């Protein structure tokens, strides 16, 4: 450890900084204006069963499969998730006629740009390890619509999904008839999740917003804990074109008297979130100050991390996920669960270390740097915006050290595709551009035009059909030889990853 500079006042600082203090010193160069906001906010300071995360297949029973397809077909007639009318009036009306099921259990509400689903899965695993019955609602799904609603750490059974839909369908139709617009696909699924959680019943619901926060359909709950994962530029046509504008929408999940667990944020986003916390008398815990990642090192199949929580330090926690971003997600998840249990407020002691280790060791997040094949290694990652792509590119370099990496990219037309490709350009030797089956998919030739501008013509191959793109990428990776370390990364969209996962024999 180096000594302090000669002009540093030794009376003001200790001779040495511990690892967490060093992180704070490095990562909290904040705008002075934040001091005014933070002075008015209370901050959390202390004194002193594993989920089955596999993705479900189609039901084996033909009758159940038929019934599930009928539900999926009916839901598909409604507005999709990208067509929105910014209001919670319809979902509020549905909750009213259902008897306010979302009020029957406490909840942890999660917003942000990237990392929401992985963080939700970690929170769910921790709560389950402490013997609480959980309900988790996340979106979008990778392969099966039933993934979106989980009970006790596992996707809801198809039979129960169908039953829940049939139970609320008359009420959905009643609300449809009374509103200017019918309930959307996402609104109906949100209603189903809240009803299923109440029927279970669950001890706590872990709920990920669909988009934004203030007018998101999930925002008819009053989360005891509001989690904000890193905010970046995405959905700019709906949420705003600056970090501050996007944060304003996402701050809508922060309710009166709640606890806010805030990942590291751009300064302008942090200002907005802290101001909202002051307005509603919310308690705030910030990554890099009240909690954070103390240390991390690459391990087989993941990483070994030491986390500083609200109640103290949690050393040598194995996390079977790759990348620094997942370590930060873990710190956020741990702080959220600590806050839910009152650590830092009603109690000062840390959570049981062995239980925390057990929970994190069992975490899985399908489609997030997930290895689905060896020789050559094929990895799936659902990065769909530049921030997610940068995190994935950094993580894959750290965890896999491929001698030659081939990208397979199929993106949605409404995304910042150029920014995504630019983030991957330093790590892809070549890229095979393709398209998934979604109506939102960017045409492969259009995507190729952008890719050529980023990579150069000689590094771009076009295969409009995803099966052909996978075969081409695997062939290119195999040119390195069996033991040379070539690999394939499939990315660009959750839908692309889901379809590739099926083609490669997973789920």
């Amino acid at each position: 450890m180096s000594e302090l500079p000669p002009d540093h006042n030794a009376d003001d600082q200790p001779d040495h900084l511990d690892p967490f203090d060093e992180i704070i010193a490095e990562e909290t160069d904040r705008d002075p204006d934040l001091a005014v906001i933070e002075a008015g906010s209370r901050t959390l300071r202390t004194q002193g069963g594993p989920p089955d995360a596999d993705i479900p297949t189609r039901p084996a029973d033909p009758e159940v499969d038929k019934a599930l397809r009928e539900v999926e077909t009916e839901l598909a007639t409604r507005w999709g998730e990208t067509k929105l009318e910014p209001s919670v009036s319809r979902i509020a009306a549905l909750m009213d006629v259902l008897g306010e099921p979302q009020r029957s259990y406490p909840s942890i509400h999660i917003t942000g740009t990237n990392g929401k689903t992985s963080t939700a899965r970690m929170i769910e695993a921790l709560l389950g390890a402490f013997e609480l019955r959980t309900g988790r609602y996340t979106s979008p799904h990778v392969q099966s619509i039933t993934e979106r609603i989980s009970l006790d750490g596992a996707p809801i059974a198809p039979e129960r999904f169908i039953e829940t839909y049939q139970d609320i369908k008359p009420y959905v139709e009643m609300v449809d008839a009374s509103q200017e617009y019918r309930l959307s696909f996402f609104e109906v699924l949100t209603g189903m999740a809240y009803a299923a959680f109440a029927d279970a019943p669950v001890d706590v619901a872990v709920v990920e917003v669909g988009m934004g926060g203030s007018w998101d359909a999930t925002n008819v709950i009053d989360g005891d804990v509001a989690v904000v994962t890193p905010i970046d530029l995405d959905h700019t046509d709906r949420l705003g074109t600056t970090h501050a504008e996007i944060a304003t929408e996402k701050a809508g999940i922060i309710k009166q008297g709640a606890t806010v667990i805030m990942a590291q944020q751009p300064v302008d986003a942090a200002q907005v979130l802290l101001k909202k916390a002051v307005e509603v008398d919310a308690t705030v815990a910030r990554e890099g100050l009240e909690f954070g990642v103390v240390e991390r090192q690459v391990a087989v199949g993941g990483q070994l991390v030491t986390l500083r929580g609200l109640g103290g330090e949690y050393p040598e926690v194995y996390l079977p996920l790759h990348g620094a971003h997942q370590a930060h997600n873990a710190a956020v998840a741990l702080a959220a669960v600590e806050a839910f249990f009152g650590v830092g407020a009603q109690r000062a002691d840390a959570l049981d270390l062995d239980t925390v280790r057990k929970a994190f060791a069992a975490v899985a997040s399908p489609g997030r740097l997930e290895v689905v094949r060896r020789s050559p290694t094929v990895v799936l990652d659902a990065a769909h915006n530049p921030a997610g792509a940068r995190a994935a590119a950094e993580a894959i370099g750290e965890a896999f050290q491929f001698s030659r990496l081939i990208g397979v990219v199929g993106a949605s037309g409404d995304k910042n595709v150029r920014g995504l490709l630019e983030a991957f350009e330093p790590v892809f030797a070549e890229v095979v551009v393709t398209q998934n089956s979604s109506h939102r998919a960017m045409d492969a030739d259009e995507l190729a035009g952008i890719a050529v501008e980023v990579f150069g013509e000689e590094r771009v191959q076009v295969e409009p059909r995803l099966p052909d793109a996978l075969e081409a990428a695997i062939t290119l990776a195999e040119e390195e030889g069996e033991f040379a370390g070539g690999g394939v990364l499939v990315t660009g969209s959750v839908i692309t990853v889901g379809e590739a996962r099926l083609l490669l024999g997973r789920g």
Side-chain angles (χ1 to χ4, degrees), residues 187-419:
E187 287 169 334
V188 174
L189 277 174
T190 301
M192 289 173 61
Y194 289 161
F197 296 161
D199 185 58
V202 301
D203 296 316
V204 54
V206 182
V207 178
E208 173 190 336
V209 303
M211 186 186 299
S214 59
W215 43 258
D216 186 73
T218 63
N219 204 29
V220 288
I221 59 170
D222 293 326
D224 301 77
V225 178
V227 176
V228 187
T229 66
I231 289 173
D232 213 298
L233 302 181
D234 198 10
H235 300 295
T236 53
D237 56 329
R238 303 179 189 279
L239 302 180
T241 57
T242 68
H243 293 124
E245 289 175 344
I246 293 172
T248 299
E249 290 297 333
K250 295 183 183 295
I253 74 164
I254 301 173
K255 305 297 175 61
Q256 187 72 35
T259 300
V260 183
I261 303 300
M262 196 169 79
Q264 291 177 354
Q265 304 291 349
V267 169
D268 52 350
Q271 288 176 318
V272 170
L273 296 169
L274 290 167
K275 181 179 179 181
K276 177 61 182 286
V278 171
E279 291 171 354
V280 298
D281 193 30
T283 303
V284 179
R286 300 150 296 178
E287 184 182 7
L289 292 175
E290 284 75 41
F291 69 93
V293 180
V294 175
E295 185 180 3
R296 57 179 295 270
Q297 61 188 67
V298 176
V300 176
Q303 55 192 305
L304 194 67
V305 299
T306 294
L307 305 176
R308 174 68 63 86
L310 306 176
E313 197 162 287
Y314 299 80
E316 297 183 349
V317 175
Y318 175 67
L319 181 67
L321 300 173
H322 300 291
H325 61 296
Q326 293 291 15
H328 288 284
N329 289 340
V332 170
L334 176 61
V337 173
E338 286 183 308
F340 181 80
F341 284 126
V343 176
Q346 290 85 33
R347 51 183 281 198
D349 55 313
L351 301 177
D352 179 73
L353 177 59
D354 287 340
T355 304
V356 169
R357 285 173 171 167
K358 176 183 176 183
F360 276 121
V363 167
S365 195
R368 276 74 180 178
L369 289 177
E370 179 187 17
V371 177
V372 293
R373 172 184 163 148
R374 299 285 185 182
S375 297
T377 299
V378 178
V379 183
L380 308 180
D381 192 84
H384 54 272
N385 56 43
R390 288 191 294 271
E394 179 182 349
I396 203 164
E398 172 188 84
F400 296 95
Q401 300 179 338
F402 292 119
S403 60
R404 184 165 181 257
L405 182 63
I406 310 300
V408 175
V409 178
S412 296
D414 58 349
K415 295 295 183 179
N416 180 358
V417 174
R418 180 180 296 275

